[in-house]
Amino acid sequence: MPILRDRALSLAERVALIALAGVTLSVTLWFIHAYVDGVLFNGYAFSQSMVSPSPHTAFSRLLAVTAVLVGTLLLQVLYTSRSQMTSALRLERNRTRTMYENSPDVVVGLRPDGSISYANARACRFTGRDPEELIGTPCHQAILGSAEGCADCTLTEVVATGRPRELTLKALDSSGQLCWLSCLQYPILDADGSVESVVEVMRDITELVYAQDEISRHNHDLEARIDQRTADLALTNVRLEREVEERERTASALRDSEARHRTLLDNSPDMVVVHEQGRLVFVNSAGAALLGLGHPDEALDMHITGLFEPNGSGISQEALDEVINTGSFDRPIPVRLKRVDGDAIDVELTGTPVRLDGRAAVQFVARDITERLHAERTIRRMAYYDALTELPNRTLFHDRLRASIAHARRNQAPIAVAFLDLDDFKVINDTLGHSVGDELLCMVGRRIREIVRDEDTVARLSGDEFTVIARIQRAEDADLFARRLIEGLAAPFYVHDHELHVSASIGVALYPEHGESPHELLKHADTAMYAAKENGHNAYKIYRPEMGAHAVDRLKLEIQLRQAVTHGELELNYQPQVDTRTGEVIGIEALLRWNHPDRGTIGPAHFMAVAEQSGLMTDIGPWVLETACAQARLWESRSIEFGRIAVNLSAREFQQADVVGTVSRILKRTGLAPERLELEITETTALQDIERLLDVLQQLRSLGVRIAIDDFGTGYSSLSYLKRFPIQTLKIAQAFMRDVHENEQSAAIARMMIDLCLLLELDIVAEGVEHPMQLEFLARHGCHVIQGHLCSVPLGAEEITELLASGRPLLELSV
């Protein structure tokens, strides 16, 4: 027993003890059975019961003893098997643990939640942590050093499916070096088949990855070298094949090749010729046709010398002859081919040395480039000439002006630059159509060309603007030159059964007096032209420096006007329109004013033209309209009666802006009823693009807005637009009211206008009424609505509001 306590029993000793226990139990069972069955129940002596039991008793005892022995034997077998299995399992676990511990790979055991339950020595070295630190730590935190988890981790899938998975990860080892890990995750199942844990084996494949990258690079380089070598070999092979074909070619094969080559050349659209030492030995059909021959054989034995000549391409005849004789072409050469009939054709010549039956020869290819040169000349003409008049355009004009200035500088002679702008050409375009206008421009260009000398340049810059460069003897000749232009244009032009009279405003600048560069001369001529136009049509002006100052003033005014729009220097004044029969205000006209910081209040007559030409009206116009509508809506909200608000629309607004959309949006924003708004347009506006204006006016009328013609009688009055346009009001210009009570002609014109409005059933308003006698004249002839200082001067918003709210009769206040 002490021995048993001191060491563990072996398997044999345990089996012997179980056998001994079985024998002892069997003997003991025999004794107990003998005693109980023989002595107690049957009264036999114990010895008799032990030794000589009855057969039945003996059989029972033997059965019991056998059962004990069999049970002991089975127990011994089961125990032996279990012990062997336990030993084998323990051995296998020891082997597995030994393998894991000595494995060069990182081996960790993972619980289903991802925490580490086991880590081998390699895992500890890889992470630089002890096993106790790793146990219970999430795998991604311990191995990858990531607190967020691994995006590519398949642990959840392995636990859910029970199937192993492989993946590749990037991680940092204990030294902080980046490494690549090949990871295998396989599940450990429990008795019922559920995943108890997961073993993850991670192998460092960094060197393998780098090796594969290096191999890939080497393979790529190798493939590149192979491709290059293949290409070199292919090129070499082609060269070798050519050399072999050249060496293997026999006379018969050469004749066959020449026949095939002749067929190709005969069908070529280009001229192909071959000469030996200047003598033609071959000409194809196209070449014979270009030479003007009936058959190619007619060209044989002709000499190449003199067949081609330069065409201004920069090559001399001697150089061309040398190239033709040697075939040393480095580029195609444009030359002229002389036909047998004496004509010449532009061709592009290329050539190359060849060998015929071992003899040196030269083959030429000449391509007819007549059509190409014609196309190039056409393109050049399109680039430098006006497509309509065929006069030089702006680009060519500047080139010739630069050349003329250089010539004048060398010869110390003056030149004159004239800038012509046709007067009222737009009226012809709009009334007679663009076809008539285009034909007229062509005729004007030809007329100017006839007036000037052949060495002078006439150009069309754009639209109805022409320029002329003229060489003159003295600066004083500029006046004679300009007058000759004015007088030459005075004769009528007959276009499509129309007799048209055209005049021009002309500005002239002189070199070197007014400038020494094309830009300066053209600018100063343009400035002089505008000065001529301001002084009336059909006139000319020679540039003077003060004209430039005027242009500078105009530019300065434009800059200040732009600043005025930005800084809010513009405001509206309001002037009432009064019914003379009742004294009531039936309308208010909004009038634009500029509060200039230095010049005080400026009326629109001083800056409106600048606003139109500079495009500022596209900003000013909508502001005026919205400000006037907002003021009218304010009067409505305060129950102040004003009739309707009248706003002027400029021609620029009709040309560039969406007038209908702008008016509609402003009415919606301000809340003003459309019938409260009256839009005024001038006669000049009415004659510009009539069809479009008619469409716009009809759309405005469909909104409910009233339309009025302002300054009637001062423009190109036409009864046709009074009939076609949807207008309700005509306003007689102030120019006719100024002396209507003193001048019979003015009175007659005014009466005619009033009678016309009454016949057409149009409302009529007389502007500029300042004298009671004017009022008496208007009332006597049926015009009962007036506007002018007799009623009220234009007032600011607050003043006109106070005047309207007072309800005082304006005529009585003015008398």
Side-chain angles (χ1 to χ4, degrees), residues 763-780:
D763 294 337
I764 185 166
V765 178
E767 296 183 295
V769 179
E770 300 178 353
H771 196 279
M773 294 183 67
Q774 297 171 340
L775 176 61
E776 180 184 351
F777 172 85
L778 293 171
R780 187 168 64 250

Side-chain angles (χ1 to χ4, degrees), residues 368-388:
D368 188 353
I369 59 173
T370 304
E371 292 185 2
R372 191 183 79 185
L373 293 179
H374 176 72
E376 290 176 353
R377 285 191 292 268
T378 301
I379 293 173
R380 176 178 175 81
R381 187 162 190 85
M382 293 174 61
Y384 290 101
Y385 289 86
D386 177 54
L388 177 63

